[in-house]
mmCIF file of all heavy atoms in Angstrom:
data_model
loop_
_atom_site.group_PDB
_atom_site.id
_atom_site.type_symbol
_atom_site.label_atom_id
_atom_site.label_comp_id
_atom_site.label_asym_id
_atom_site.label_seq_id
_atom_site.Cartn_x
_atom_site.Cartn_y
_atom_site.Cartn_z
ATOM 1 N N HIS A 198 146.903 3.435 170.250
ATOM 2 C CA HIS A 198 145.430 3.280 170.562
ATOM 3 C C HIS A 198 144.642 2.780 169.426
ATOM 4 O O HIS A 198 143.643 2.082 169.609
ATOM 5 C CB HIS A 198 144.899 4.737 171.002
ATOM 6 C CG HIS A 198 145.471 5.193 172.092
ATOM 7 N ND1 HIS A 198 145.388 4.521 173.408
ATOM 8 C CD2 HIS A 198 146.236 6.316 172.386
ATOM 9 C CE1 HIS A 198 146.069 5.333 174.287
ATOM 10 N NE2 HIS A 198 146.632 6.337 173.769
ATOM 11 N N TRP A 281 144.979 -4.317 177.892
ATOM 12 C CA TRP A 281 146.443 -4.365 177.797
ATOM 13 C C TRP A 281 146.896 -5.409 178.852
ATOM 14 O O TRP A 281 146.758 -5.179 180.094
ATOM 15 C CB TRP A 281 146.990 -3.138 178.095
ATOM 16 C CG TRP A 281 146.611 -1.986 177.030
ATOM 17 C CD1 TRP A 281 145.686 -1.073 177.276
ATOM 18 C CD2 TRP A 281 147.328 -1.740 175.809
ATOM 19 N NE1 TRP A 281 145.602 -0.207 176.240
ATOM 20 C CE2 TRP A 281 146.568 -0.562 175.348
ATOM 21 C CE3 TRP A 281 148.274 -2.317 175.177
ATOM 22 C CZ2 TRP A 281 146.875 -0.083 174.032
ATOM 23 C CZ3 TRP A 281 148.641 -1.905 173.857
ATOM 24 C CH2 TRP A 281 147.917 -0.673 173.351
ATOM 25 N N ASP A 298 141.680 1.752 179.790
ATOM 26 C CA ASP A 298 141.282 3.180 179.974
ATOM 27 C C ASP A 298 139.712 3.034 180.108
ATOM 28 O O ASP A 298 139.049 2.125 179.685
ATOM 29 C CB ASP A 298 141.561 4.076 178.903
ATOM 30 C CG ASP A 298 143.107 4.359 178.893
ATOM 31 O OD1 ASP A 298 143.647 4.856 179.692
ATOM 32 O OD2 ASP A 298 143.627 3.837 177.840
ATOM 33 N N LEU A 348 142.599 2.416 184.050
ATOM 34 C CA LEU A 348 143.606 3.419 183.938
ATOM 35 C C LEU A 348 142.978 4.845 184.148
ATOM 36 O O LEU A 348 142.917 5.634 183.055
ATOM 37 C CB LEU A 348 144.302 3.331 182.556
ATOM 38 C CG LEU A 348 144.990 1.935 182.347
ATOM 39 C CD1 LEU A 348 145.507 1.868 180.914
ATOM 40 C CD2 LEU A 348 146.187 1.737 183.370
ATOM 41 N N ARG A 362 144.039 17.758 177.209
ATOM 42 C CA ARG A 362 143.276 16.717 177.971
ATOM 43 C C ARG A 362 142.577 17.341 179.088
ATOM 44 O O ARG A 362 142.243 16.733 180.148
ATOM 45 C CB ARG A 362 144.323 15.740 178.432
ATOM 46 C CG ARG A 362 144.896 14.992 177.277
ATOM 47 C CD ARG A 362 145.908 13.891 177.671
ATOM 48 N NE ARG A 362 145.137 12.590 178.145
ATOM 49 C CZ ARG A 362 145.847 11.428 178.388
ATOM 50 N NH1 ARG A 362 147.060 11.360 178.291
ATOM 51 N NH2 ARG A 362 145.075 10.458 178.884
ATOM 52 N N LYS A 394 146.655 8.781 187.615
ATOM 53 C CA LYS A 394 147.602 9.109 186.595
ATOM 54 C C LYS A 394 147.545 10.633 186.360
ATOM 55 O O LYS A 394 146.589 11.245 186.694
ATOM 56 C CB LYS A 394 147.421 8.385 185.378
ATOM 57 C CG LYS A 394 146.043 8.665 184.569
ATOM 58 C CD LYS A 394 145.799 7.792 183.390
ATOM 59 C CE LYS A 394 144.655 8.075 182.577
ATOM 60 N NZ LYS A 394 144.259 7.174 181.497
ATOM 61 N N HIS A 395 148.446 11.288 185.847
ATOM 62 C CA HIS A 395 149.823 10.761 185.373
ATOM 63 C C HIS A 395 150.732 11.532 186.292
ATOM 64 O O HIS A 395 150.829 12.757 186.363
ATOM 65 C CB HIS A 395 150.090 11.238 183.886
ATOM 66 C CG HIS A 395 149.059 10.795 182.983
ATOM 67 N ND1 HIS A 395 147.901 11.653 182.842
ATOM 68 C CD2 HIS A 395 148.724 9.772 182.058
ATOM 69 C CE1 HIS A 395 146.986 10.953 181.982
ATOM 70 N NE2 HIS A 395 147.501 10.036 181.563
ATOM 71 N N TYR A 399 151.914 16.792 184.596
ATOM 72 C CA TYR A 399 151.674 16.610 183.181
ATOM 73 C C TYR A 399 150.375 17.401 182.777
ATOM 74 O O TYR A 399 149.335 17.191 183.258
ATOM 75 C CB TYR A 399 151.262 15.127 183.021
ATOM 76 C CG TYR A 399 150.768 14.718 181.661
ATOM 77 C CD1 TYR A 399 151.238 15.117 180.451
ATOM 78 C CD2 TYR A 399 149.706 13.776 181.598
ATOM 79 C CE1 TYR A 399 150.704 14.765 179.233
ATOM 80 C CE2 TYR A 399 149.169 13.415 180.296
ATOM 81 C CZ TYR A 399 149.690 13.819 179.263
ATOM 82 O OH TYR A 399 149.256 13.370 177.872
ATOM 83 N N ARG A 405 154.501 16.309 175.063
ATOM 84 C CA ARG A 405 154.395 15.555 176.274
ATOM 85 C C ARG A 405 155.636 14.447 176.491
ATOM 86 O O ARG A 405 155.950 14.088 177.485
ATOM 87 C CB ARG A 405 153.127 14.741 176.555
ATOM 88 C CG ARG A 405 152.756 13.790 175.304
ATOM 89 C CD ARG A 405 151.346 13.194 175.491
ATOM 90 N NE ARG A 405 150.950 12.157 174.475
ATOM 91 C CZ ARG A 405 150.167 11.471 174.679
ATOM 92 N NH1 ARG A 405 149.487 11.302 175.816
ATOM 93 N NH2 ARG A 405 149.703 10.583 173.602
ATOM 94 N N MET A 438 150.220 5.735 187.787
ATOM 95 C CA MET A 438 150.904 5.725 186.467
ATOM 96 C C MET A 438 151.900 6.882 186.417
ATOM 97 O O MET A 438 151.426 7.961 186.596
ATOM 98 C CB MET A 438 149.886 5.810 185.289
ATOM 99 C CG MET A 438 150.482 5.630 183.909
ATOM 100 S SD MET A 438 149.440 6.203 182.623
ATOM 101 C CE MET A 438 148.199 4.783 182.693
ATOM 102 N N TYR A 441 154.535 11.083 181.133
ATOM 103 C CA TYR A 441 155.494 11.086 179.946
ATOM 104 C C TYR A 441 156.728 12.025 180.302
ATOM 105 O O TYR A 441 157.881 11.914 179.749
ATOM 106 C CB TYR A 441 154.826 11.376 178.615
ATOM 107 C CG TYR A 441 153.978 10.248 178.147
ATOM 108 C CD1 TYR A 441 152.673 10.544 177.739
ATOM 109 C CD2 TYR A 441 154.528 9.033 177.830
ATOM 110 C CE1 TYR A 441 151.880 9.467 177.158
ATOM 111 C CE2 TYR A 441 153.895 7.984 177.155
ATOM 112 C CZ TYR A 441 152.516 8.300 176.883
ATOM 113 O OH TYR A 441 151.741 7.213 176.289
ATOM 114 N N ASP A 473 153.620 5.210 181.806
ATOM 115 C CA ASP A 473 152.730 5.459 180.653
ATOM 116 C C ASP A 473 153.127 4.785 179.391
ATOM 117 O O ASP A 473 154.202 4.297 179.355
ATOM 118 C CB ASP A 473 152.435 7.050 180.428
ATOM 119 C CG ASP A 473 151.196 7.308 179.760
ATOM 120 O OD1 ASP A 473 150.620 6.502 179.254
ATOM 121 O OD2 ASP A 473 150.803 8.517 179.772
ATOM 122 N N TRP A 474 152.378 4.770 178.423
ATOM 123 C CA TRP A 474 152.407 3.688 177.352
ATOM 124 C C TRP A 474 153.536 3.779 176.384
ATOM 125 O O TRP A 474 154.464 2.945 176.244
ATOM 126 C CB TRP A 474 151.162 3.700 176.766
ATOM 127 C CG TRP A 474 150.174 2.524 177.142
ATOM 128 C CD1 TRP A 474 149.661 1.541 176.131
ATOM 129 C CD2 TRP A 474 149.949 2.114 178.413
ATOM 130 N NE1 TRP A 474 148.960 0.613 177.060
ATOM 131 C CE2 TRP A 474 149.145 0.863 178.257
ATOM 132 C CE3 TRP A 474 150.144 2.562 179.717
ATOM 133 C CZ2 TRP A 474 148.571 0.302 179.354
ATOM 134 C CZ3 TRP A 474 149.632 1.885 180.778
ATOM 135 C CH2 TRP A 474 148.857 0.785 180.661
ATOM 136 N N PHE A 475 153.695 4.932 175.693
ATOM 137 C CA PHE A 475 154.532 4.748 174.548
ATOM 138 C C PHE A 475 155.593 5.866 174.760
ATOM 139 O O PHE A 475 155.223 7.036 174.679
ATOM 140 C CB PHE A 475 153.743 4.819 173.181
ATOM 141 C CG PHE A 475 152.645 4.011 173.226
ATOM 142 C CD1 PHE A 475 151.334 4.253 173.501
ATOM 143 C CD2 PHE A 475 152.968 2.695 173.004
ATOM 144 C CE1 PHE A 475 150.344 3.278 173.440
ATOM 145 C CE2 PHE A 475 151.972 1.609 172.989
ATOM 146 C CZ PHE A 475 150.654 2.032 173.258
ATOM 147 N N SER A 598 142.982 8.073 174.358
ATOM 148 C CA SER A 598 142.886 6.897 175.318
ATOM 149 C C SER A 598 141.564 6.953 176.074
ATOM 150 O O SER A 598 141.218 5.993 176.760
ATOM 151 C CB SER A 598 144.134 6.896 176.198
ATOM 152 O OG SER A 598 144.061 8.057 176.917
ATOM 153 N N GLU A 655 144.021 14.283 173.340
ATOM 154 C CA GLU A 655 145.324 13.694 173.502
ATOM 155 C C GLU A 655 146.110 13.830 172.306
ATOM 156 O O GLU A 655 145.577 13.722 171.128
ATOM 157 C CB GLU A 655 145.163 12.275 173.863
ATOM 158 C CG GLU A 655 146.376 11.678 174.417
ATOM 159 C CD GLU A 655 146.077 10.176 174.821
ATOM 160 O OE1 GLU A 655 144.974 9.816 175.224
ATOM 161 O OE2 GLU A 655 147.102 9.438 175.031
HETATM 162 C C1 BGC B 1003 147.914 7.921 177.883
HETATM 163 C C2 BGC B 1003 147.408 7.346 179.217
HETATM 164 C C3 BGC B 1003 146.708 6.099 178.785
HETATM 165 C C4 BGC B 1003 147.600 5.164 178.105
HETATM 166 C C5 BGC B 1003 146.976 3.769 177.707
HETATM 167 C C6 BGC B 1003 148.747 6.931 177.117
HETATM 168 O O1 BGC B 1003 149.062 7.522 175.858
HETATM 169 O O2 BGC B 1003 148.726 9.076 178.258
HETATM 170 O O3 BGC B 1003 146.505 8.165 179.708
HETATM 171 O O4 BGC B 1003 146.160 5.431 179.968
HETATM 172 O O5 BGC B 1003 148.044 5.766 176.906
HETATM 173 O O6 BGC B 1003 146.000 3.894 176.734
#
Side-chain angles (χ1 to χ4, degrees):
H198 295 303
W281 299 97
D298 291 291
L348 303 172
R362 297 180 78 172
K394 68 186 186 184
H395 313 77
Y399 170 43
R405 61 181 180 161
M438 182 193 293
Y441 284 127
D473 201 345
W474 255 235
F475 307 100
S598 60
E655 192 173 338

